[in-house]
Amino acid sequence: MARIFVAGATGGVGSRLLSQLTAQGDDPVALYRTPGQERRLAAAGATPILGDLTTIDTTVLAGQMHGCDAVIFTAGAPDQGQAAADAVDGRGLATAVDAALVAHVRRFVHLSAFPEAWRGRQMGADFEHYMRVKRRQDVYLAATALDWVILRPGTLTNNPGAGTVRLGPALDYDDVPRDDVAAVLAHAAHQPCLRRSILELTRGPVPITQAVADAA
Ligand SMILES: NC(=O)c1ccc[n+]([C@@H]2O[C@H](COP(=O)([O-])OP(=O)(O)OC[C@H]3O[C@@H](n4cnc5c(N)ncnc54)[C@H](OP(=O)(O)O)[C@@H]3O)[C@@H](O)[C@H]2O)c1
């Protein structure tokens, strides 16, 4: 059993991740920012912690992470403009990384983005900015002494999880169900050999347990 701090716990991936973690006997600590969300998080088996990544102090966040075995960062503001991306995916990620360092939580998993996502489409300046922020924060995390894992999923869908994926350092771009992303994150949290590693993730034929073990 591991105590795992989840940033973005109320989101599409984060809420599925809480279910996966409790199902495998872990003890998730769930960061949320809107009062009223705590009841749903507690009902999902998590310990709710109120905090906004754009305003929280690093030392306070470190105190909340204290005693955790890993941090999984699934927070983000992809469709809310460039300022929100800078605040949440940018400075918010950096605050969480700095807090993990202060709290001596060595294992940090970042749900990032697939660099080839929607290339060739005219996605607009906000999307391109968002991708640059994700990339910059991968660089920030990778320069630390943490046991980091950067997971870069293709486009997220709400299709039912298949329980199978492709996972590796360089893949052809494709989409992937949020269910399967959450399952990969939950398994990755328990693979200490999987460290200082960047992995791309799409739908595919390999059972998730095997895909994570192979990557480790
Ligand atoms: N969409 C894609 O195709 C795609 C592809 C690759 C990677 N990604 C990445 O995957 C991430 C997770 O995807 P998703 O579908 O789970 O996103 P989501 O449903 O929008 O969830 C985002 C989470 O971040 C939280 N959050 C936002 N701002 C926050 C703040 N200031 N402080 C604390 N928490 C905050 C949200 O909390 P609230 O509930 O309070 O809003 C929510 O829990 C995305 O953010 C993106 O970076 C997405």
Side-chain angles (χ1 to χ4, degrees):
M1 172 174 139
R3 188 168 171 84
I4 296 178
F5 189 96
V6 179
T10 57
V13 172
S15 54
R16 290 167 171 82
L17 176 59
L18 293 188
S19 302
Q20 299 269 353
L21 291 172
T22 49
Q24 67 186 27
D26 289 326
D27 176 17
V29 177
L31 186 72
Y32 71 101
R33 61 176 170 156
T34 307
Q37 293 174 320
E38 64 274 13
R39 277 189 292 279
R40 187 161 59 87
L41 295 170
T47 302
I49 299 278
L50 181 63
D52 189 315
L53 284 164
T54 64
T55 53
I56 197 164
D57 179 75
T58 302
T59 313
V60 172
L61 188 56
Q64 295 168 342
M65 289 177 179
H66 184 75
C68 288
D69 301 291
V71 174
I72 303 181
F73 189 98
T74 69
D79 304 318
Q80 296 164 37
Q82 298 186 15
D86 287 339
V88 180
D89 302 79
R91 292 188 298 278
L93 183 276
T95 301
V97 168
D98 294 349
L101 285 162
V102 171
H104 302 290
V105 181
R106 291 200 55 80
R107 196 151 182 73
F108 195 109
V109 183
H110 180 209
L111 183 61
S112 184
F114 204 105
E116 301 308 315
W118 285 340
R119 296 301 87 182
R121 295 197 195 184
Q122 299 302 313
M123 291 302 295
D126 286 0
F127 181 81
E128 296 304 331
H129 180 82
Y130 189 77
M131 296 300 279
R132 281 195 297 275
V133 170
K134 297 304 271 187
R135 167 93 191 159
R136 193 165 62 231
Q137 297 317 89
D138 284 351
V139 173
Y140 185 87
L141 174 59
T144 70
L146 294 172
D147 289 337
W148 48 264
V149 176
I150 293 167
L151 188 66
R152 294 176 168 169
T155 300
L156 305 179
T157 73
N158 288 330
N159 296 337
T164 61
V165 294
R166 277 188 213 284
L167 180 69
L171 301 179
D172 288 329
Y173 170 64
D174 207 337
D175 57 28
V176 59
R178 286 180 171 84
D179 284 344
D180 291 331
V181 176
V184 168
L185 290 167
H187 281 82
H190 285 276
Q191 283 286 352
C193 294
L194 190 57
R195 52 186 287 276
R196 303 184 77 75
S197 183
I198 298 176
L199 293 169
E200 296 179 351
L201 172 66
T202 68
R203 64 182 155 139
V206 184
I208 287 171
T209 315
Q210 185 190 330
V212 174
D214 289 350

